[in-house]
Amino acid sequence: MRYAKSIFTFLSLLICVNFFDFFDLNSGILSYYVSVTQKRLLLILIICFLGIFSLTRSNNIYINKKSQFGLSVYYLIGVFVVVTILTTYFYTGQSFTNTLSVSYYGFIALSYFIFRKIFKKDDWKNFAKLLTIFGTILSITKIIQSFLLSNFGILLFHLNYQGDISNAAYNRFKVLGFVRLPSVGDFLFCVIIVLLSLSVRFPEWKIFKYPYPIAIMVFCLIVVAQTRAYTLLLLAIFIIYIYFRFSKKFSKDLKYLFLFSLSIASMIVIYFAFTYLLNFQVGRAESFDTRGLELKYYWGLIKQSPIFGVGFLRGDGVYQGITSGPFLNYYFSDIGIIGFLAQTGSLGVFFIIVLLTQLVISLRKSKNIGASLIIFTALVGSFIMRSLILPDNIFYLTIYLALLEFFSVEE
């Protein structure tokens, strides 16, 4: 069982980082199974290891039988199943196979049951070590790659995400001499959040003795990925982290100062979250203009199909005009949870309600409120400004949920 867990975590993270872009994943059959936006290989891996772990029937299960987020995960998978069937039924120009090729990633949520059933305290410790290694390697390689592309036009290894390729080709969105490579943002943010929460709960672990790996990842996230939403969330999360990590050493007045700073940071994050959604001109003006148009367009789709949404339509098929907007350059993933609701309608709304309810219950049950609050803030903030219900993000959602449950039940 121990080796199976190690193999699963290693391979799943390797897929999440797209093999560090050491290989070209854009050509050949491999691009269909593993890339920034395609995670079919990850789903196959999850299904295989679910079978392995089920057959072993190990008694080394640290957690009670009733899962805290089982209802949310099963409901989410049910939403994907129902909407997939309805999409095939109402859109006769798209076969069931083509619909499934869009909606398959919903089943990646099954990985939650792997994490919650087989991960004990030592397993989370090993997972944190592996995340640190993967995050550091990815950050260093992308920092070097971005710098070389921006200043010398030299491509180190490969670029497997269209956003990275486009920015590198036009050498645009440069910060401190680094061209923007947004593909690393989701993974690095997840790694930072998991490490910070575990550091609050287990400050004695040796892997948290030195801050350099997290510092490198934060630098890469801000300067190379240049993801506004994650940068804003990190502002609030780091204040939460500092307060709960070192509060025992603070005087009463200093604690009040940090709580005040946390309130201010939270208001700043909320303000920019709403300006992001309402298309106020902050930062990259052209990008915000497009986001505003996307928001209006997909909100219109929600009003047209409020019950089941528009479904899981292919972006390159006969219904491209519906999924991609009037200029064929709109994406559901660009506008956070609104894009998910445009696809699933009221079914998606009920999922959000169920998930938020279970998140609040888990937070109240937590044995370490600081560690859980970091995960909770990251989850809620991600749903507002981005979306965790995406092929490249849904795996991270299951990690967050399993870790929250761990903080609620571990002794």
Side-chain angles (χ1 to χ4, degrees):
M1 175 64 75
R2 184 183 65 181
Y3 294 111
K5 286 186 283 189
S6 299
I7 293 172
F8 170 76
T9 52
F10 179 82
L11 292 179
S12 61
L13 293 181
L14 200 59
I15 295 172
C16 287
V17 298
N18 303 302
F19 301 97
F20 298 103
D21 285 338
F22 290 163
F23 312 102
D24 182 11
L25 303 177
N26 288 322
S27 58
I29 192 172
L30 193 61
S31 63
Y32 183 77
Y33 290 96
V34 55
S35 68
V36 174
T37 57
Q38 301 295 339
K39 299 298 180 184
R40 293 179 178 85
L41 184 60
L42 179 59
L43 177 58
I44 294 172
L45 181 73
I46 291 168
I47 292 174
C48 290
F49 276 88
L50 270 175
I52 293 173
F53 295 136
S54 298
L55 291 174
T56 56
R57 296 181 180 181
S58 172
N59 292 321
N60 296 323
I61 298 175
Y62 78 93
I63 202 167
N64 53 4
K65 295 181 179 180
K66 186 177 180 181
S67 60
Q68 288 189 6
F69 298 101
L71 177 62
S72 294
V73 173
Y74 281 129
Y75 183 82
L76 177 62
I77 294 173
V79 169
F80 272 79
V81 171
V82 171
V83 176
T84 297
I85 295 173
L86 292 176
T87 301
T88 306
Y89 178 78
F90 286 110
Y91 296 94
T92 56
Q94 181 170 290
S95 66
F96 176 77
T97 304
N98 284 334
T99 304
L100 193 61
S101 71
V102 178
S103 65
Y104 74 91
Y105 67 90
F107 295 94
I108 294 177
L110 290 170
S111 59
Y112 160 75
F113 296 103
I114 295 180
F115 285 112
R116 73 163 293 268
K117 271 191 167 294
I118 69 170
F119 269 50
K120 299 179 292 184
K121 178 180 176 180
D122 289 340
D123 297 309
W124 282 112
K125 184 177 182 179
N126 294 331
F127 188 59
K129 292 179 181 178
L130 200 59
L131 283 176
T132 303
I133 295 171
F134 271 72
T136 304
I137 293 175
L138 181 65
S139 297
I140 292 174
T141 56
K142 285 301 176 180
I143 288 171
I144 296 173
Q145 187 182 58
S146 174
F147 183 80
L148 291 177
L149 280 169
S150 178
N151 296 278
F152 303 101
I154 299 174
L155 175 60
L156 178 68
F157 306 126
H158 296 274
L159 295 175
N160 290 302
Y161 176 58
Q162 187 56 47
D164 294 350
I165 296 172
S166 177
N167 291 339
Y170 295 100
N171 199 18
R172 60 184 181 181
F173 304 137
K174 295 173 64 174
V175 173
L176 301 177
F178 295 89
V179 68
R180 185 183 185 222
L181 302 177
S183 63
V184 299
D186 296 323
F187 180 78
L188 289 182
F189 182 75
C190 176
V191 173
I192 293 169
I193 295 305
V194 171
L195 293 181
L196 289 180
S197 63
L198 286 172
S199 174
V200 170
R201 177 60 189 90
F202 304 107
E204 70 276 7
W205 286 359
K206 291 183 178 180
I207 55 174
F208 301 129
K209 185 177 181 180
Y210 302 103
Y212 307 116
I214 291 182
I216 293 172
M217 286 182 251
V218 170
F219 179 84
C220 185
L221 182 67
I222 296 175
V223 176
V224 177
Q226 299 179 31
T227 308
R228 296 176 296 247
Y230 290 151
T231 302
L232 291 171
L233 280 173
L234 279 180
L235 173 64
I237 288 170
F238 266 113
I239 294 177
I240 297 173
Y241 167 76
I242 293 172
Y243 177 78
F244 285 100
R245 179 71 168 80
F246 304 103
S247 60
K248 294 181 180 179
K249 302 178 182 178
F250 294 157
S251 65
K252 187 176 181 179
D253 291 338
L254 197 54
K255 288 182 180 180
Y256 285 133
L257 177 62
F258 266 99
L259 287 175
F260 175 76
S261 301
L262 175 60
S263 301
I264 297 297
S266 299
M267 287 188 289
I268 292 174
V269 170
I270 292 172
Y271 168 76
F272 279 106
F274 278 102
T275 58
Y276 177 82
L277 292 175
L278 296 176
N279 192 34
F280 288 170
Q281 298 303 308
V282 181
R284 293 187 292 268
E286 181 181 351
S287 175
F288 271 99
D289 282 338
T290 303
R291 295 296 181 272
L293 293 173
E294 287 176 317
L295 181 60
K296 294 176 184 177
Y297 176 75
Y298 288 123
W299 185 253
L301 292 184
I302 293 175
K303 291 191 291 186
Q304 292 176 16
S305 305
I307 307 300
F308 303 112
V310 297
F312 296 112
L313 300 174
R314 289 181 63 93
D316 56 353
V318 295
Y319 301 108
Q320 185 178 10
I322 297 177
T323 61
S324 303
F327 307 107
L328 302 182
N329 64 340
Y330 294 171
Y331 302 94
F332 290 110
S333 59
D334 284 346
I335 53 173
I337 198 62
I338 298 298
F340 171 68
L341 298 181
Q343 291 178 298
T344 59
S346 60
L347 295 179
V349 174
F350 286 126
F351 163 72
I352 298 300
I353 294 173
V354 171
L355 178 62
L356 283 176
T357 302
Q358 293 195 308
L359 284 173
V360 172
I361 293 173
S362 177
L363 194 61
R364 294 181 62 181
K365 291 181 178 180
S366 176
K367 301 296 191 299
N368 189 291
I369 189 63
S372 295
L373 190 58
I374 288 175
I375 301 292
F376 180 85
T377 304
L379 265 171
V380 175
S382 296
F383 271 118
I384 293 174
M385 291 184 279
R386 292 180 64 81
S387 177
L388 289 171
I389 316 296
L390 292 170
D392 49 334
N393 279 348
I394 194 168
F395 184 70
Y396 309 140
L397 171 63
T398 66
I399 295 175
Y400 291 151
L401 296 181
L403 197 53
L404 269 178
E405 186 167 348
F406 173 67
F407 291 145
S408 299
V409 300
E410 60 91 21
E411 297 296 335

